[in-house]
Amino acid sequence: MESEVYSLCFMCSVRCPIKVTTKDDQVKWIEGNPHVAGMEGSLCPRGAAGIAFLYDHERVQSPMIRTGPRGSGQWKKATWEEALDRVGEQLRKIIDEHGGHSVALGERTQLATHVSKAFLKAIGSPNHFTHDALCKGSVNTAARSLFGYTDAQMGIDYKNTRHIVLYGRNIFEAIEVKGVRALTEAVEKGAKLTCIDPRVSITATKADRYWMIRPGTDLALNYALIHLILRDRLYDAAYVDRWVSGLAQLQDFVQPYTPQWAQQETGIAASEIESLARELAEDRPAVIFHFGYRGANHANEIYQRRSILILNALMGSTEAKGGIFFKKGPGEVGGKPARKLTEQTFPEITMPRFDKVGTPDFPLPDPSHGVAQMLPRAILDDDPYPIKALINYRFDPIMSIPDSAMTKKALDKLDLIVTIDVNYSDIAWYSDVILPESTYLERTDSVQQANGLKPQMFLRQQCVTPRYDTRPGAVILKQIAERLGTGAYFPYKTMEDLVRWQLEGTGFYLEDFRPKGFVAYTDKQIFWDRETSIKFKTPSGKIELVSSLLEDAGYPSFPEYEPMAAPPESHFRLITGRCALHTHVSTQNNPYLNEIAPENVLWIHSNEAERLGIKDGDRVTISSSRGSGEIRAFVTDLIHPEAVFMLHGYGHESQAATRSFNKGLSDAVLMENISDMIGGSPALHDTFVTVTKLEGTATGKPGGR
């Protein structure tokens, strides 16, 4: 007999609501949740590949303990008791000798993140960090500097926009199903799409206006747009007068940054810049300058992201239909959110974080996520103290942190590396113990508090029993905590117990999620009154162009523009991105997705390729100051001549993942570990590389994306 379970996808971090059809404890079909507006059965390629993921025999099937050198692939299969005892004993020894702060835990933010944070708080460690800084730490800091909210507390009303401007945001490939469907609907109703990117992405091909901007000069473009908007009073004067502070200082600052000046820096004609500014002014406030998802390109990233958000403020698009809104929680309608384990009382932690976030050395990044790329140097330099153990939970520092050689060198100093994962990731392959997590189809998870225009709660509900000897990550962490004497902080035995605990006091119960997979606090959208009641969280209660957050920390709100350096002779600026078929570094071994997109290629401009004697499909060597590797060339006119491009997530070294092993090249091998030292993101596009043809290789079509 068939049954239907409403749950949440986890083939990427978006967590789309899904309906799963099962029969005889087997998953037969997955589709978007038809009860959720914007889904109506839709699913992206990764979501559709969830069934292949569930039944993949190359998943980690049982606890594994390393028996040979790290990375050698020498393992022994272990029972859960044996593996958990090993981890507990070694962690206890490390904590007793070096203190709880010598343990760090990194993860991709997920529904169980409150469990991970509670685990570290219980042992006295401040060293929880997430992948977020690697992706958008500077976006977070920029948003807080203007509005007092993080970027995660802000949403975008794609459906009602009249014009959206995307700065490298490849929205039609880095797919969020609801957002893409809403934007598509807006475009079909006449909304305009402007795409600014050094590469012609799939999104660029859908745009009304595409600008192949010179890499790294987006800030120059935005200074010119601000100059125009203020000079010609194209902004929403009533909104700005009511809600914006620091306009006079901004107006003085942008005086030199004319469209003619920006043309020289960006390669975009001054007349084109003027046309865009006037079009947007006609459509305000239903316009969106997209503040980005991955905002981790250059060392000045915070100011680029601030400039985007300033443009939204000038257009009056914040808290406007068709613009940007602040997500509303249940408190707006008298409700209570789900509880988190971190709300308990823990022992005081006085030690600084490993990345020094929150100290005078690094005051502004969000300590809720930390700055992951600081980990290798902290370990290597024992600064601010020795780190002895690392727990990786769905996070792969080898492939995600720039300069993988330095990362491995740091990992080699650790006494213990533990990985909780569903795949044989590269970090799992390099670990001492692997603790296999059940997939999202095999487990119930913590409650998702989905704040937005209509605050809701969603639940990932178990669809089938685990195929292999795996457990939910939140249960694994509890069972380690019990071996450390901190189990009392985890008041549950099963995931259902944890969910019931979270729901206490909300007025909702586990059974309420069965019919549709979610519950709603209200059925009406909540926009704050634009004239009287927008609740900015800055000290002034306004959008702070002159930012108290920045200025109090000793940083300027409006730094003078520094010209973006061209690559040295015979070098290129390396840029990276994503495609619709893969999620970061985690899906390349999926049987379905690997079949369609098995390796990455290097996009290089036709003129530069001709100069180097490279033909389409040739194998080339790409080298930087940090490493080198081989990859196939994709020769094209659809990329700026100063840049080369490769998809992120390839070049896996884990031999147990046979489909993705040694296919393509990892960008982390090449990238220098450079950071925006104000905002917190890595500067992933500030590495220069050389490209040479690999002699003696046959030419073959790469099928570039």
Side-chain angles (χ1 to χ4, degrees):
M1 181 177 176
E2 287 191 347
S3 61
E4 296 175 349
V5 182
Y6 293 98
S7 190
L8 294 171
C9 184
F10 207 22
M11 292 298 287
C12 78
S13 298
V14 174
R15 308 179 191 125
C16 287
I18 54 175
K19 182 178 79 172
V20 181
T21 301
T22 67
K23 184 177 181 180
D24 300 329
D25 203 29
Q26 304 287 314
V27 174
K28 297 299 182 181
W29 187 249
I30 306 174
E31 62 184 89
N33 188 332
H35 301 293
V36 176
M39 293 301 298
E40 288 98 19
S42 298
L43 213 56
C44 79
R46 292 160 293 169
I51 297 177
F53 176 43
L54 173 66
Y55 296 110
D56 188 1
H57 66 275
E58 292 194 354
R59 284 169 48 196
V60 188
Q61 298 182 16
S62 67
M64 304 293 286
I65 295 176
R66 179 175 59 82
T67 59
R70 282 177 178 157
S72 66
Q74 298 177 45
W75 303 96
K76 75 168 184 175
K77 183 177 178 180
T79 65
W80 275 102
E81 290 302 307
E82 183 181 9
L84 291 168
D85 287 347
R86 172 74 65 92
V87 172
E89 290 168 7
Q90 291 192 259
L91 281 176
R92 171 48 59 200
K93 180 180 178 183
I94 288 168
I95 293 168
D96 288 346
E97 291 185 10
H98 304 281
H101 57 274
S102 66
V103 180
L105 187 153
E107 65 182 324
R108 288 188 182 274
T109 307
Q110 57 186 318
L111 300 179
T113 291
H114 70 113
V115 181
S116 308
K117 289 184 174 182
F119 177 88
L120 286 188
K121 286 177 179 291
I123 63 173
S125 175
N127 291 322
H128 176 273
F129 65 96
T130 77
H131 175 268
D132 279 44
L134 293 168
C135 185
K136 57 192 184 76
S138 295
V139 185
N140 175 313
T141 308
R144 286 186 289 118
S145 76
L146 285 158
F147 308 122
Y149 292 92
T150 70
D151 62 301
Q153 294 169 323
M154 298 165 62
I156 296 176
D157 186 14
Y158 294 108
K159 185 175 181 178
N160 296 301
T161 193
R162 296 192 190 113
H163 198 142
I164 184 169
V165 183
L166 301 167
Y167 298 80
R169 174 66 170 129
N170 190 8
I171 195 168
F172 291 124
E173 289 195 87
I175 296 175
E176 174 198 354
V177 173
K178 289 177 65 176
V180 168
R181 283 172 59 93
L183 181 56
T184 300
E185 183 178 337
V187 169
E188 289 173 348
K189 291 188 298 186
K192 293 181 180 178
L193 173 61
T194 292
C195 183
I196 302 163
D197 197 324
R199 180 181 73 102
V200 182
S201 64
I202 294 295
T203 302
T205 68
K206 311 298 182 187
D208 298 278
R209 175 189 285 105
Y210 167 68
W211 287 341
M212 185 179 281
I213 193 168
R214 182 169 165 259
T217 62
D218 305 65
L219 181 58
L221 170 64
N222 284 357
Y223 277 176
L225 284 169
I226 294 170
H227 171 103
L228 269 169
I229 290 166
L230 293 179
R231 184 195 71 188
D232 296 347
R233 295 188 63 82
L234 301 176
Y235 59 92
D236 187 331
Y239 183 91
V240 169
D241 289 346
R242 174 69 181 87
W243 294 114
V244 176
S245 68
L247 185 69
Q249 294 94 321
L250 176 63
Q251 194 152 17
D252 289 342
F253 169 76
V254 295
Q255 287 299 318
Y257 300 115
T258 65
Q260 291 73 24
W261 164 83
Q263 177 177 313
Q264 300 302 313
E265 181 71 2
T266 65
I268 299 170
S271 59
E272 288 288 314
I273 299 173
E274 295 212 22
S275 294
L276 176 62
R278 298 191 189 286
E279 283 183 27
L280 290 161
E282 290 177 3
D283 289 331
R284 63 173 169 80
V287 299
I288 299 163
F289 290 87
H290 200 300
F291 47 84
Y293 195 77
R294 196 200 81 190
N297 301 318
H298 303 287
N300 67 349
E301 196 71 27
I302 185 174
Y303 291 111
Q304 161 58 5
R305 301 299 154 175
R306 269 179 55 83
S307 71
I308 294 172
L309 293 167
I310 288 170
L311 285 164
N312 283 294
L314 295 177
M315 292 291 101
S317 65
T318 52
E319 203 58 21
K321 276 190 173 293
I324 292 170
F325 60 84
F326 301 108
K327 295 178 180 178
K328 314 307 188 297
E332 289 290 320
V333 290
K336 291 185 177 181
R339 292 199 292 174
K340 295 182 178 181
L341 293 179
T342 47
E343 296 166 7
Q344 302 172 91
T345 301
F346 294 91
E348 183 182 3
I349 299 174
T350 58
M351 300 297 288
R353 294 176 51 87
F354 75 87
D355 50 22
K356 301 183 182 179
V357 167
T359 72
D361 291 333
F362 213 7
L364 295 187
D366 190 344
S368 294
H369 298 288
V371 180
Q373 69 269 22
M374 297 299 166
L375 181 68
R377 290 196 181 96
I379 295 172
L380 290 169
D381 298 340
D382 292 333
D383 182 20
Y385 43 71
I387 298 291
K388 294 296 182 179
L390 175 64
I391 301 173
N392 308 280
Y393 187 2
R394 292 189 60 253
F395 172 68
D396 188 341
I398 295 174
M399 297 194 74
S400 299
I401 295 177
D403 194 352
S404 55
M406 180 173 70
T407 300
K408 287 182 183 177
K409 185 177 179 182
L411 293 173
D412 287 339
K413 276 194 69 175
L414 296 174
D415 293 344
L416 178 65
I417 305 173
V418 178
T419 293
I420 302 171
D421 207 338
V422 292
N423 293 313
Y424 276 106
S425 59
D426 279 19
I427 186 59
W429 193 249
Y430 211 75
S431 293
D432 303 316
V433 181
I434 308 174
L435 302 174
E437 187 177 32
S438 303
T439 70
Y440 68 96
L441 294 168
E442 300 169 312
R443 70 176 192 262
T444 295
D445 218 328
S446 292
V447 174
Q448 181 190 29
Q449 189 69 49
N451 295 339
L453 292 176
K454 297 178 182 179
Q456 301 170 315
M457 284 191 290
F458 285 81
L459 185 64
R460 177 174 292 128
Q461 302 185 83
Q462 183 176 351
C463 302
V464 292
T465 55
R467 308 292 95 175
Y468 305 116
D469 190 13
T470 61
R471 295 179 180 179
V475 171
I476 295 171
L477 287 171
K478 169 190 168 63
Q479 292 172 341
I480 298 173
E482 289 172 340
R483 287 159 170 79
L484 299 176
T486 57
Y489 291 103
F490 304 88
Y492 58 92
K493 290 185 178 179
T494 67
M495 292 307 300
E496 288 73 16
D497 293 339
L498 176 55
V499 170
R500 293 186 191 280
W501 179 88
Q502 286 191 276
L503 293 174
E504 289 177 5
T506 66
F508 296 106
Y509 301 91
L510 178 62
E511 292 71 23
D512 295 333
F513 293 88
R514 304 290 189 211
K516 296 182 179 180
F518 68 97
V519 295
Y521 292 91
T522 179
D523 59 356
K524 296 180 175 60
Q525 287 190 344
I526 306 170
F527 277 100
W528 288 323
D529 189 300
R530 287 164 51 82
E531 294 185 4
T532 62
S533 60
I534 301 179
K535 303 171 186 177
F536 296 108
K537 289 186 176 181
T538 55
S540 65
K542 293 187 176 185
I543 301 173
E544 295 188 349
L545 304 184
V546 177
S547 168
S548 56
L549 184 74
L550 288 172
E551 302 282 341
D552 290 350
Y555 301 114
S557 297
F558 313 127
E560 182 179 344
Y561 182 80
E562 296 183 9
M564 184 59 63
E569 186 177 356
S570 299
H571 286 67
F572 302 89
R573 185 178 295 276
L574 177 64
I575 62 177
T576 66
R578 294 176 56 188
C579 68
L581 292 159
H582 286 301
T583 299
H584 303 296
V585 303
S586 65
T587 59
Q588 284 75 18
N589 202 58
N590 182 280
Y592 291 173
L593 302 177
N594 179 272
E595 180 72 19
I596 304 170
E599 65 178 327
N600 56 356
V601 295
L602 187 74
W603 291 43
I604 184 170
H605 192 274
S606 304
N607 294 344
E608 297 300 313
E610 183 178 6
R611 179 176 63 82
L612 296 169
I614 295 169
K615 293 183 173 59
D616 190 41
D618 283 349
R619 293 200 67 79
V620 298
T621 299
I622 179 170
S623 303
S624 73
S625 64
R626 294 299 179 265
S628 65
E630 296 178 14
I631 192 170
R632 198 173 296 279
F634 174 55
V635 178
T636 177
D637 292 334
L638 305 181
I639 188 169
H640 195 283
E642 288 188 7
V644 291
F645 169 86
M646 60 194 297
L647 289 174
H648 174 60
Y650 288 87
H652 287 255
E653 297 179 347
S654 171
Q655 296 178 33
T658 63
R659 305 177 200 98
S660 59
F661 171 63
N662 206 27
K663 297 289 180 62
L665 179 62
S666 170
D667 50 23
V669 169
L670 303 166
M671 287 179 177
E672 299 179 34
N673 193 329
I674 307 167
S675 290
D676 169 1
M677 293 304 297
I678 302 175
S681 287
L684 299 179
H685 292 180
D686 277 355
T687 296
F688 295 117
V689 297
T690 60
V691 182
T692 57
K693 181 177 179 178
L694 191 62
E695 298 298 335
T697 59
T699 297
K701 288 293 182 182
R705 282 188 170 82

